[in-house]
Amino acid sequence: MKISLIQMDMAPCAPDENYPRAAQLISQAAGEEPDVIVLPETWNVGFFPHDHLEELADHDGERTQSEMGAQAAEHAVNLVAGSVANRKGDQVFNTAYIFDRQGEMIASYDKCHLFSPMGEHEYFEPGDHLCRFELDGVFCGIIICYDLRFPEWIRKLSVEGLDLLFVVSQWPDVRADHLRTLLRARAIENQMFVACCNSIGRMGETQYGGGSVVIDPWGTVLAQGPVSAEDIICCEIDLSVLAGIRSSINVFRDRRPELY
């Protein structure tokens, strides 16, 4: 499976700039003929506008589903369309959408762990469900940024059977080492591939750190993006290695959930 991560530098508070920019980058990424293209977290508005968030947010994901679904269909590619600020009724969620090669929306996920140090919980509502889906027969899951710090959440997802975890994020450069360490840990402990698409650029006082990465189940970095520039990172993963890894160190067989 070939994956392209779009390490996007979105314009703060400017969805009318970011939607066509995302489409342009998707078209560019499609030139490498990947199986999956991935966008980062809240690429429609940045992370995150404190003023006028409800007005700037997508409404019921309508624009995202229309425009990103059309992109997936046009390029016949699976699209993990990052996440967007998404208004449902009078509440705003941080919502990820996934589209198949026909442009059909096959899964969605509302970020469950909101980043309280930056007040995300004061402006967004938390989700309440895991998200597992298939892309070309591969069992996949998705989490959003701060979710990565909750290994029990990801283990709950992985015990259902997971080959590839997508992480979409706007992770700041000051904690870049945390991001790399946590991604490697989640890959190793759950014996799965991890593909993280992190944004670049600045929002307010925060500089985002890029470094989008694909990691194999041994914790080996297969591809990594720059830390200071917008880029598209393309990487092919060999899913056939999973069976050997899981049989040689069978952590799922040897778990003792009755104790924890």
Side-chain angles (χ1 to χ4, degrees):
M1 173 175 274
K2 194 173 184 180
I3 303 168
S4 287
L5 308 174
I6 295 178
Q7 186 168 287
M8 182 177 174
D9 182 359
M10 68 283 302
C13 311
D16 287 340
E17 294 181 36
N18 291 324
Y19 278 92
R21 177 60 178 156
Q24 179 186 14
L25 291 168
I26 289 167
S27 180
Q28 184 178 338
E32 295 288 333
E33 298 185 348
D35 299 296
V36 189
I37 294 175
V38 191
L39 289 167
E41 180 185 14
T42 53
W43 56 265
N44 63 333
V45 296
F47 189 85
F48 62 92
H50 293 77
D51 298 324
H52 310 295
L53 176 62
E54 292 186 0
E55 290 81 1
L56 291 167
D58 198 3
H59 284 212
D60 291 320
E62 291 179 359
R63 183 173 186 178
T64 305
Q65 292 182 59
S66 173
E67 296 189 21
M68 294 299 103
Q71 287 295 313
E74 177 182 346
H75 300 292
V77 68
N78 299 296
L79 177 60
V80 177
S83 76
V84 294
N86 178 37
R87 181 176 175 179
K88 304 179 187 180
D90 60 356
Q91 298 175 322
V92 179
F93 292 80
N94 187 337
T95 305
Y97 291 103
I98 297 91
F99 302 89
D100 66 15
R101 294 179 185 270
Q102 289 74 46
E104 295 296 320
M105 195 268 286
I106 59 169
S108 65
Y109 171 70
D110 296 321
K111 185 178 182 180
C112 289
H113 300 92
L114 302 178
F115 193 54
S116 58
M118 290 181 68
E120 187 179 11
H121 65 298
E122 297 175 3
Y123 294 85
F124 290 82
E125 291 296 316
D128 60 4
H129 66 275
L130 295 162
C131 184
R132 182 174 176 271
F133 52 94
E134 287 187 45
L135 295 178
D136 297 346
V138 177
F139 292 114
C140 303
I142 188 168
I143 61 169
I144 301 174
C145 205
Y146 191 42
D147 285 327
L148 182 64
R149 289 186 180 270
F150 298 86
E152 63 272 33
W153 187 239
I154 300 164
R155 176 51 61 91
K156 186 175 181 180
L157 182 62
S158 67
V159 294
E160 297 182 7
L162 206 63
D163 299 326
L164 171 58
L165 178 69
F166 293 103
V167 182
V168 298
S169 60
Q170 291 216 45
W171 200 284
D173 63 351
V174 295
R175 292 187 292 277
D177 285 344
H178 288 192
L179 178 60
R180 287 189 291 268
T181 300
L182 292 167
L183 289 168
R184 291 188 69 229
R186 299 297 88 87
I188 293 166
E189 69 196 5
N190 293 294
Q191 298 181 326
M192 62 188 179
F193 288 90
V194 173
C196 174
C197 184
N198 193 39
S199 70
I200 199 73
R202 178 174 288 273
M203 180 85 171
E205 298 300 313
T206 304
Q207 178 68 40
Y208 292 96
S212 300
V213 65
V214 179
I215 301 172
D216 77 8
W218 290 117
T220 302
V221 172
L222 303 179
Q224 185 165 330
V227 298
S228 59
E230 190 173 73
D231 200 7
I232 297 172
I233 300 91
C234 194
C235 179
E236 188 147 9
I237 62 173
D238 180 7
L239 293 153
S240 69
V241 305
L242 289 169
I245 292 168
R246 292 169 179 174
S247 63
S248 63
I249 307 176
N250 201 324
V251 295
F252 288 95
R253 181 196 62 199
D254 297 337
R255 289 175 68 243
R256 297 193 61 195
E258 73 276 9
L259 300 181
Y260 40 75

